Amino acid sequence: MNSPNKRKPATELVSELTTNRLSVYLRCLTQLESAGVETISSQALAEQFHLNAAQIRKDLAYFGEFGVRGVGYYVKDLKRNLRQILGLDRKLRVAVMGAGNLGLALADYPGFKREGFEIVSMFDVADAKIGDESRSGVPICDLRELKKVVRKERIDIAVIAVPAESAQHVLEQVVAAGIKAILNFSPGALDVPPGVKVKNVDLTVSLESLSFYLAQGIDDGH
Amino acid sequence: MNSPNKRKPATELVSELTTNRLSVYLRCLTQLESAGVETISSQALAEQFHLNAAQIRKDLAYFGEFGVRGVGYYVKDLKRNLRQILGLDRKLRVAVMGAGNLGLALADYPGFKREGFEIVSMFDVADAKIGDESRSGVPICDLRELKKVVRKERIDIAVIAVPAESAQHVLEQVVAAGIKAILNFSPGALDVPPGVKVKNVDLTVSLESLSFYLAQGIDDGH
DNA sequence: TTTTGTGAACTAGTTCACAGCT
DNA sequence: AGCTGTGAACTAGTTCACAAAA
């Protein structure tokens, strides 16, 4: 009915929870593949990785019919399809904004390279840092060169790792340079223009939410 | 009916989305306070920070009646109440597991200290690192000393920043040492024993989800 | 058989709208 | 008057359960 090659329009009718799970499924399949597994049912996948079988099927069904009834999914095929759906069938080029502790750590984070992301350059405003490079050799460029470098290096994604007070300004620069996808580590909500996707990783919120759990969850009476 | 001092049982009947938002509200109030604002209505708070007024009221109403009808909320009071609800009325002590790039960056992350968290120590297995310290002076301890240090330093929260392949093992050590709240940066789902709260920050999933947006979402028409 | 793909049922989360308090 | 706190209505997300396919 809906072959793997004719996809749905999918202009934001698929939720972020679903796209996050697609990435999880891809990781599971990679593990299965290197374990030599050739086919897997949604049931088995769910049991092995603590997921829900119906949800796996529903998530996948958004994008086509990838399974074979009575058999399950061919691991290699599904993996290839997921990589295509997620846009990972080409190398994505990433810039890190801010060459502080966190920015440098993210630029050298091995998980990104492993998944096929290419950290192309970092940007900072401090003259002392510009021209230098990270341990693994990612060059630190002048923020004022952003537009030029983005065009020349064909950068797809920006990671914002600058202090809170300059985050909004940096976001605007990044957007002006034509970048449409941003991973933001600075705390607080940024004002995001339409057509641009921002994912926030808010470390303070995460820790404070854990603190809540400790404060409330442990004992009501100790 | 439900005064600020008699709280609901709240043993996991309040969702994580709510607790995350409480942390956001606290940050907003801190900003308002330093801007000299004394009272604020849910309406004004919502407009200023792009939130929903009814949701703010509902979230707060879980924990008591903090507002004054016809007036709104007293910024200072509500801030104090939120800090208490979130368990931030004492300094929380944090250990970072793994003294790699990311671990070192997190140990020195200024946002944690600013919000009242105390990064007490790091743990690693590499002899070359043990005994050393981060730039800001957080000591790197031997993982084998974990239990002892956790007890002595009264550590509340662990941040896991070790390679994926040792994450499960480190989690088990951390739990065995009595820690009940964990912020995990390693990719993939960990097997978590009951009574322990883990928050995952999965950088690969975040980037791949952005990639999906680029692959599917780009053209709005133009 | 087995297992998918999917409507229907259910559960969780959000927003509305207003009674009631100040 | 203004604004909270909250049931009711709505929307989003998950899980069930089964007809149809291999």
Side-chain angles (χ1 to χ4, degrees):
Chain A
M1 195 165 263
N2 193 8
S3 93
N5 288 357
K6 44 171 169 157
R7 299 274 158 68
K8 300 204 177 156
T11 315
E12 211 52 80
L13 359 81
V14 44
S15 109
E16 201 153 319
L17 296 170
T18 299
T19 68
N20 287 347
R21 283 192 300 262
L22 293 180
S23 171
V24 170
Y25 302 155
L26 177 57
R27 184 186 292 154
C28 298
L29 292 167
T30 302
Q31 247 179 270
L32 288 169
E33 191 184 39
S34 61
V37 178
E38 301 217 322
T39 79
I40 188 135
S41 69
S42 59
Q43 184 61 55
L45 193 60
E47 271 164 25
Q48 191 162 348
F49 297 97
H50 310 106
L51 307 165
N52 176 289
Q55 183 151 74
I56 295 171
R57 297 200 298 277
K58 216 152 227 180
D59 285 340
L60 296 176
Y62 260 103
F63 301 98
E65 300 205 339
F66 303 113
V68 181
R69 283 160 204 241
V71 178
Y73 300 88
Y74 289 99
V75 172
K76 245 188 133 176
D77 278 9
L78 184 54
K79 199 185 146 204
R80 201 190 51 249
N81 276 304
L82 279 178
R83 289 188 63 82
Q84 202 204 312
I85 292 164
L86 287 167
L88 300 170
D89 45 358
R90 60 168 182 125
K91 281 233 173 211
L92 281 156
R93 300 170 68 76
V94 178
V96 175
M97 313 303 297
N101 268 324
L102 186 59
L104 284 161
L106 292 170
D108 288 351
Y109 181 64
F112 291 155
K113 199 157 281 169
R114 197 185 305 133
E115 299 296 320
F117 294 95
E118 195 113 50
I119 312 287
V120 171
S121 54
M122 308 182 69
F123 292 88
D124 209 296
V125 288
D127 285 339
K129 290 175 183 170
I130 295 166
D132 210 348
E133 55 184 39
S134 80
R135 265 178 243 192
S136 75
V138 179
I140 301 171
C141 306
D142 189 330
L143 181 62
R144 283 166 299 188
E145 310 268 273
L146 180 65
K147 209 170 252 180
K148 193 194 301 174
V149 178
V150 165
R151 202 179 324 111
K152 194 172 152 203
E153 295 284 351
R154 302 198 330 282
I155 290 167
D156 303 295
I157 297 177
V159 176
I160 296 186
V162 301
E165 54 274 19
S166 34
Q168 182 64 46
H169 173 249
V170 166
L171 175 117
E172 281 156 20
Q173 304 265 293
V174 161
V175 170
I179 289 175
K180 297 263 186 289
I182 297 162
L183 183 58
N184 173 44
F185 284 83
S186 83
L190 297 175
D191 207 6
V192 182
V196 175
K197 182 78 174 174
V198 174
K199 276 256 199 187
N200 291 298
V201 177
D202 196 318
L203 303 179
T204 303
V205 167
S206 297
L207 267 197
E208 293 191 348
S209 191
L210 282 172
S211 172
F212 172 88
Y213 172 82
L214 290 176
Q216 308 284 323
I218 284 181
D219 53 315
D220 303 318
H222 63 278
Chain B
M1 194 164 260
N2 194 8
S3 92
N5 288 357
K6 44 173 168 156
R7 297 275 156 71
K8 301 202 177 158
T11 316
E12 212 49 82
L13 0 81
V14 43
S15 111
E16 200 153 318
L17 296 170
T18 300
T19 68
N20 287 346
R21 282 192 301 262
L22 294 180
S23 171
V24 170
Y25 302 155
L26 176 57
R27 184 186 291 154
C28 297
L29 291 167
T30 303
Q31 246 180 269
L32 288 170
E33 191 185 37
S34 62
V37 178
E38 302 217 321
T39 81
I40 189 137
S41 69
S42 59
Q43 183 62 56
L45 193 60
E47 271 163 25
Q48 190 163 348
F49 297 97
H50 309 106
L51 306 166
N52 176 289
Q55 183 152 76
I56 295 170
R57 295 200 300 274
K58 250 214 170 133
D59 285 339
L60 297 176
Y62 259 103
F63 301 97
E65 300 203 341
F66 303 113
V68 181
R69 287 163 202 235
V71 177
Y73 301 88
Y74 289 99
V75 172
K76 246 189 135 177
D77 277 9
L78 183 54
K79 200 186 147 203
R80 200 189 53 249
N81 275 303
L82 279 178
R83 290 188 64 83
Q84 201 204 314
I85 293 164
L86 287 166
L88 300 170
D89 45 358
R90 61 169 182 126
K91 281 232 173 212
L92 282 156
R93 299 170 69 77
V94 179
V96 175
M97 314 303 297
N101 268 324
L102 187 58
L104 284 162
L106 291 171
D108 289 350
Y109 180 64
F112 291 155
K113 198 156 280 170
R114 197 185 305 133
E115 298 297 320
F117 295 95
E118 195 113 50
I119 313 287
V120 171
S121 55
M122 309 182 68
F123 292 88
D124 208 296
V125 287
D127 285 339
K129 289 175 182 170
I130 294 165
D132 210 348
E133 56 183 40
S134 81
R135 262 177 246 192
S136 75
V138 179
I140 301 171
C141 307
D142 190 331
L143 181 63
R144 283 166 298 188
E145 310 268 274
L146 181 65
K147 210 170 252 179
K148 191 193 304 172
V149 178
V150 165
R151 202 178 326 110
K152 195 172 151 202
E153 296 284 352
R154 314 183 51 71
I155 290 167
D156 303 296
I157 298 178
V159 176
I160 296 187
V162 302
E165 55 275 17
S166 34
Q168 182 66 45
H169 173 250
V170 166
L171 176 117
E172 282 155 19
Q173 304 265 294
V174 161
V175 170
I179 289 175
K180 297 263 185 291
I182 296 163
L183 182 59
N184 173 43
F185 283 84
S186 83
L190 298 175
D191 208 7
V192 183
V196 175
K197 182 78 176 174
V198 174
K199 276 257 199 186
N200 291 299
V201 176
D202 196 318
L203 302 179
T204 304
V205 167
S206 297
L207 266 197
E208 293 191 348
S209 191
L210 283 172
S211 172
F212 172 88
Y213 173 82
L214 290 176
Q216 310 282 327
I218 283 180
D219 47 310
D220 311 313
H222 63 277

